[in-house]
Amino acid sequence: MGTGGACGPRRALGRGAGPVLLAAALVTGCGEPHTPNGTSAARQSTPPGSGAASSPAATPPEDLCARIVAHWSREVLDDGTYGDYQSMGLSNGQYDILRNVVDAARITKAREGRKAAERLIDRETRTGCEAWYRDGGPGEGPWT
């Protein structure tokens, strides 16, 4: 008789079962059980403030500033040319820090070598960014 495939009622059930099961899952809400307030029961099992499900602490803005300005300062020191501050993701204030740092790093690199210039970049970007944020940091636009 046939070639070995499903036949008769089993074949019909196989084709029709997918949409029926999908509809049943949507209607019954398969997935995580929820509490009356709508939150996931699995999420409620971790007490608030326990740290198990909390997000990492935010990085202070002066740290982010120092990282990005130091990165681009090294790029400019290697490349020798300044790019557009917006293409670097910098504000005008951060770009001012970068220009001052790179100018000093170029002199240090010529006198003392690359390693000394990199130490200067790390130190001066940290100092510049801390001062910038101490004085208020960026304003409303990318040019501040």
Side-chain angles (χ1 to χ4, degrees):
M1 181 159 170
T3 59
C7 61
R10 277 193 277 167
R11 176 181 247 168
L13 178 61
R15 282 190 211 161
V20 171
L21 292 174
L22 177 61
L26 292 173
V27 170
T28 61
C30 287
E32 289 185 22
H34 286 76
T35 61
N37 68 3
T39 61
S40 165
R43 291 186 190 138
Q44 279 196 336
S45 65
T46 304
S50 69
S54 64
S55 61
T59 303
E62 58 273 13
D63 289 352
L64 293 174
C65 171
R67 274 193 232 164
I68 192 168
V69 173
H71 167 79
W72 285 111
S73 294
R74 285 182 174 86
E75 291 289 321
V76 170
L77 184 64
D78 290 340
D79 184 321
T81 60
Y82 291 98
D84 175 52
Y85 73 96
Q86 290 177 328
S87 69
M88 295 177 182
L90 301 176
S91 70
N92 190 49
Q94 292 167 329
Y95 195 65
D96 287 342
I97 296 167
L98 176 135
R99 286 191 317 240
N100 291 330
V101 167
V102 171
D103 288 347
R106 284 181 175 156
I107 294 167
T108 301
K109 183 180 177 185
R111 288 183 186 163
E112 302 172 39
R114 173 80 186 179
K115 294 286 185 191
E118 288 183 357
R119 286 191 302 270
L120 179 132
I121 287 171
D122 291 337
R123 185 176 61 249
E124 293 300 315
T125 55
R126 164 66 49 197
T127 301
C129 288
E130 285 175 352
W132 190 51
Y133 276 93
R134 187 173 36 253
D135 294 339
E140 290 297 313
W143 52 90
T144 61

